Amino acid sequence: KDALDEFFIDRKFGVFIHWGLYSVLAGRWQGKTTPYIAEWIMKRERIPVKEYEKIASQFNPGNFDADEWVENIARSGARYMVVTAKHHEGFAMYHSKVSPFNVVDATEFGRDIIGELSIAAKKYGIKFCLYYSHDQDWHHPHGFGNDWDYRPQDQDFDVYFNEMVLPQVRELLTGYGSIGMIWFDTPFSIDKAKSRRLCDFVHELQPACLVNGRIGHDLGDFSEISDNGVPSTVVEQAWETPLTMNDSWGYKVDDNNWKKPQTLVRYLSGIVGKGGNCLLNIGPDGDGNIPEQSVEILDSIGSWLRINGDA
Ligand code: JFZ
């Protein structure tokens, strides 16, 4: 069986984790709630890079416990997890040698989060996967998307791609064991040659690592459908849908629009029934706690699967 079958037949349900410096802000800036998804706060509020870097000095999640997180994930019945190694904010949640803007070198906390989670995932039999923002990077002078610190005419995406994306993807695919898939996102500016280069690069480093559809230009090993979407009929080719429990991916203290546990059980069974994979998101807070509503939802799905999902 190839890697795609292993995923899309044996591992239908995964947990997505959005965690980064934005989690510390919790969707609030200068006393008010940001109107959009919390992990977009830097762009939405046009927070200067120098200002945003200061959040790293506040990042010290005393309640982060990789085993406890993964234990919750395993209990839900999920068989894979996808963690943000670097989101659009540009902050690496692992010890990168490519940029000092990472969790080990830029925080008091100083622990390699991706490393700890990769070890815990292995222990619980959860396939470990990584999210990497390969196009938008609001911190890097040549990444896409920051027009409040940098002038677009001074930017050269090739520099970002060659000096940041490829070296960081190499670190991630050589430093943390076997990676089930790498989840790229928002291919707004990347050209087809570079999407292809990146896709090949992943497969050269780890032939069994899947590449999701959002690498751009319809490349990648399977398609990603719109967030929270469920097609009306069976789709035979491998696909996945990412799903939120409230209306934000990153932790947002003022977003209490939680879906009911039974609603999410219906989403899960609907998606799997149409041939898809369900990637359900949690957004831990800045102290490393998984919101209690999310724990409850994961528990409910786990009980439902234990009753109804076993042969
Ligand atoms: C992207 C990110 O910008 C967001 O922060 C989050 O990580 C999410 C999982 O992915 O946002 C998207 C990308 C694509 C769609 C919607 C939101 N889409 O195709 O519907």
Side-chain angles (χ1 to χ4, degrees):
K1 279 206 306 194
D2 65 14
L4 194 60
D5 282 350
E6 204 267 331
F7 248 96
F8 285 85
I9 296 172
D10 296 347
R11 295 177 192 265
K12 303 303 298 177
F13 169 37
V15 170
F16 212 165
I17 302 180
H18 276 74
W19 206 37
L21 297 181
Y22 46 82
S23 312
V24 174
L25 298 181
R28 285 186 184 166
W29 184 245
Q30 294 176 341
K32 55 179 185 46
T33 304
T34 191
Y36 193 49
I37 44 184
E39 72 281 7
W40 274 67
I41 194 165
M42 181 181 180
K43 183 168 174 100
R44 182 75 214 205
E45 306 298 337
R46 303 172 75 82
I47 303 174
V49 163
K50 283 287 160 281
E51 195 76 21
Y52 201 85
E53 283 176 344
K54 291 182 192 156
I55 305 162
S57 57
Q58 298 167 41
F59 186 81
N60 199 2
N63 293 333
F64 170 66
D65 179 335
D67 273 2
E68 190 196 309
W69 283 20
V70 178
E71 202 266 326
N72 270 287
I73 291 169
R75 211 152 22 90
S76 78
R79 305 282 324 275
Y80 65 106
M81 61 193 278
V82 183
V83 190
T84 48
K86 189 201 81 169
H87 204 267
H88 310 330
E89 64 178 359
F91 186 70
M93 297 292 277
Y94 70 99
H95 193 193
S96 177
K97 310 285 160 25
V98 178
S99 159
F101 194 48
N102 72 74
V103 68
V104 174
D105 296 321
T107 74
E108 194 69 33
F109 189 61
R111 281 157 54 186
D112 187 321
I113 285 158
I114 296 301
E116 292 186 22
L117 287 170
S118 70
I119 292 164
K122 199 165 187 186
K123 186 162 143 191
Y124 287 90
I126 302 291
K127 196 86 174 172
F128 192 65
C129 310
L130 297 168
Y131 174 107
Y132 185 86
S133 181
H134 68 312
D135 192 312
Q136 296 196 79
D137 188 314
W138 306 324
H139 180 269
H140 195 284
H142 298 286
F144 182 77
N146 181 338
D147 58 5
W148 57 98
D149 282 283
Y150 311 119
R151 300 188 312 172
Q153 63 267 35
D154 296 336
Q155 291 193 302
D156 182 352
F157 189 82
D158 283 16
V159 174
Y160 167 65
F161 186 77
N162 291 316
E163 294 178 9
M164 183 78 169
V165 177
L166 294 178
Q168 286 202 324
V169 167
R170 178 190 294 279
E171 290 180 323
L172 290 167
L173 292 177
T174 53
Y176 301 94
S178 151
I179 303 299
M181 74 160 95
I182 184 152
W183 222 94
F184 295 112
D185 205 4
T186 63
F188 294 155
S189 71
I190 194 168
D191 63 32
K192 189 167 186 174
K194 279 194 270 296
S195 287
R196 181 167 289 131
R197 172 82 186 96
L198 182 57
C199 192
D200 292 344
F201 188 66
V202 169
H203 292 141
E204 281 159 27
L205 293 166
Q206 289 204 26
C209 180
L210 300 183
V211 171
N212 78 327
R214 289 190 192 163
I215 194 168
H217 305 279
D218 286 323
L219 298 168
D221 298 311
F222 65 90
S223 59
E224 208 67 66
I225 70 161
S226 66
D227 299 19
N228 296 303
V230 184
S232 56
T233 182
V234 174
V235 175
E236 295 287 352
Q237 305 95 311
W239 59 277
E240 178 187 63
T241 195
L243 200 63
T244 50
M245 293 184 178
N246 55 4
D247 294 321
S248 180
W249 304 89
Y251 179 67
K252 190 172 182 183
V253 66
D254 298 311
D255 179 351
N256 283 298
N257 194 25
W258 299 96
K259 297 174 182 76
K260 292 196 248 81
Q262 67 262 39
T263 304
L264 286 161
V265 165
R266 291 184 182 114
Y267 264 107
L268 170 65
S269 55
I271 289 164
V272 173
K274 304 296 189 311
N277 271 29
C278 175
L279 182 58
L280 182 61
N281 183 71
I282 59 174
D285 70 18
D287 294 323
N289 304 299
I290 301 173
E292 58 180 64
Q293 293 89 342
S294 301
V295 172
E296 191 194 325
I297 289 166
L298 292 178
D299 278 344
S300 304
I301 294 175
S303 344
W304 184 82
L305 285 172
R306 276 188 292 280
I307 298 166
N308 296 294
D310 247 348

